Amino acid sequence: MTLDSIIIIAKKIVDISLVWLMFYYILKNIRNNVKLTLLFKGVAIVLILKIVSDWIGLMTIGLLLEYVMMWGPLALIIIFQPEIRNVLEQLGRTQLLGRHKVLTVDERERLVYEIIQSVEYLRKARIGALIVLERDTSLANYIDKAKKIYADLSSDLLISIFFPNNPLHDGGVIIQGDRISCAGAVFPTSNSTKVNKKFGTRHRAALGIVEESDAISIVVSEETGRISVAVKGDLFYNLSIDDVRMMLIDELRPRQEDELLDELDEEDIYEENI
């Protein structure tokens, strides 16, 4: 094998690897965005219908689908321009090696403890709050527009931020790793029909940010004192403190630890079957 052939093979490997890497990050961001996930499913359904119609000879539906496929991309770009722009921004902000800081077990436990302590106080005092935990998708765009804090996380600091008459009370707090990065953050509100009409801006903002990223949002209702958690495009309402604690522990667990637990569960099931 000559040097030229080795270089050609190496170029092809790099070319294919870059294409797969691009598709990986695009699909990853689509998965974290509920609206684009639905859009992706809709496009897939149209393509499947087109293939089926051509296969069984449905001329009318096939012709209509051809017009849809011809003008559909332009219509989708116009209609979903904000979502497409947001995905491109996330691709630019996403860190290739994951979260800026991987928390140790002790740091995760302390993080959950401090959040639970503050949420418990806010719940009893009927003080409204919105706490957002950043994960792999960067929230720098929202941090830049908010009041910077960059302080070590503590329940006392969280409580003081959301205390009535505090200028930062109405906004959200963003936590990166085990530090409070900012307060008074403004998030996009969700238009999902899954949100009860009685919910206000705080709950819709909590769901809106998790529809566009892989963040976790914790909401304390000012009117009822009830706690809600938004994650992976869903809003879980009226949770107990123990429910919130278990959700945080589960969601903040690193991927490697999740994979290890899944392997252990599979081994246990295999041993039980034997």
Side-chain angles (χ1 to χ4, degrees):
M1 183 178 290
T2 63
L3 180 61
D4 291 339
S5 61
I6 293 174
I7 293 174
I8 292 172
I9 293 173
K11 287 182 178 179
K12 290 181 178 179
I13 292 174
V14 171
D15 188 24
I16 295 172
S17 299
L18 289 175
V19 171
W20 277 109
L21 186 64
M22 180 182 67
F23 276 108
Y24 167 75
Y25 279 103
I26 290 175
L27 292 175
K28 178 182 176 182
N29 281 274
I30 288 176
R31 184 194 64 182
N32 293 330
N33 191 307
V34 175
K35 294 179 181 178
L36 282 180
T37 300
L38 296 175
L39 171 62
F40 186 78
K41 290 180 179 178
V43 172
I45 291 173
V46 170
L47 291 175
I48 292 172
L49 287 175
K50 176 59 178 172
I51 293 171
V52 172
S53 65
D54 290 343
W55 181 47
I56 60 178
L58 300 178
M59 301 300 295
T60 305
I61 189 68
L63 183 61
L64 291 174
L65 289 174
E66 282 185 8
Y67 281 112
V68 170
M69 294 174 66
M70 183 184 302
W71 298 104
L74 180 60
L76 291 176
I77 291 173
I78 295 173
I79 296 171
F80 291 94
Q81 183 266 340
E83 285 75 19
I84 295 172
R85 181 186 63 189
N86 191 52
V87 166
L88 294 176
E89 289 176 351
Q90 288 179 9
L91 284 172
R93 296 195 301 262
T94 300
Q95 298 167 353
L96 294 178
L97 297 179
R99 194 183 309 169
H100 54 92
K101 178 181 180 183
V102 177
L103 300 178
T104 64
V105 175
D106 291 339
E107 288 172 335
R108 291 206 312 269
E109 289 179 352
R110 179 182 172 277
L111 170 67
V112 173
Y113 173 80
E114 295 293 343
I115 292 175
I116 292 300
Q117 288 293 107
S118 62
V119 168
E120 176 69 3
Y121 179 91
L122 295 168
R123 179 185 69 84
K124 291 179 179 179
R126 299 285 181 89
I127 297 175
L130 172 55
I131 302 170
V132 177
L133 284 73
E134 181 190 84
R135 293 201 278 182
D136 289 332
T137 303
S138 174
L139 301 178
N141 189 44
Y142 301 101
I143 295 173
D144 291 341
K145 300 174 183 177
K147 185 67 176 179
K148 314 298 189 302
I149 294 179
Y150 298 119
D152 291 334
L153 175 67
S154 71
S155 57
D156 292 336
L157 180 55
L158 278 175
I159 292 169
S160 65
I161 289 173
F162 291 110
F163 208 78
N165 299 323
N166 188 318
L168 302 176
H169 167 73
D170 289 331
V173 162
I174 296 179
I175 297 175
Q176 292 180 305
D178 56 353
R179 292 174 63 82
I180 300 176
S181 293
C182 70
V186 178
F187 304 111
T189 56
S190 172
N191 294 319
S192 173
T193 56
K194 295 184 290 185
V195 182
N196 196 308
K197 292 183 179 179
K198 66 182 180 181
F199 290 156
T201 305
R202 189 174 282 120
H203 285 83
R204 291 189 175 276
L207 184 57
I209 189 60
V210 303
E211 286 178 342
E212 297 188 355
S213 71
D214 63 347
I216 307 170
S217 300
I218 305 169
V219 186
V220 180
S221 172
E222 192 170 359
E223 297 179 357
T224 64
R226 292 174 176 172
I227 309 169
S228 304
V229 174
V231 62
K232 297 175 182 176
D234 290 317
L235 180 67
F236 302 91
Y237 179 64
N238 195 18
L239 301 176
S240 67
I241 285 293
D242 289 335
D243 292 334
V244 178
R245 181 186 293 108
M246 294 307 298
M247 286 187 71
L248 289 179
I249 291 173
D250 183 57
E251 292 294 336
L252 292 174
R253 188 181 296 119
R255 289 196 186 96
Q256 295 85 349
E257 193 172 323
D258 279 336
E259 292 172 358
L260 179 59
L261 290 174
D262 290 339
E263 290 177 1
L264 291 175
D265 290 340
E266 290 176 1
E267 289 177 1
D268 291 340
I269 293 172
Y270 178 74
E271 291 175 358
E272 288 177 0
N273 291 334
I274 292 178

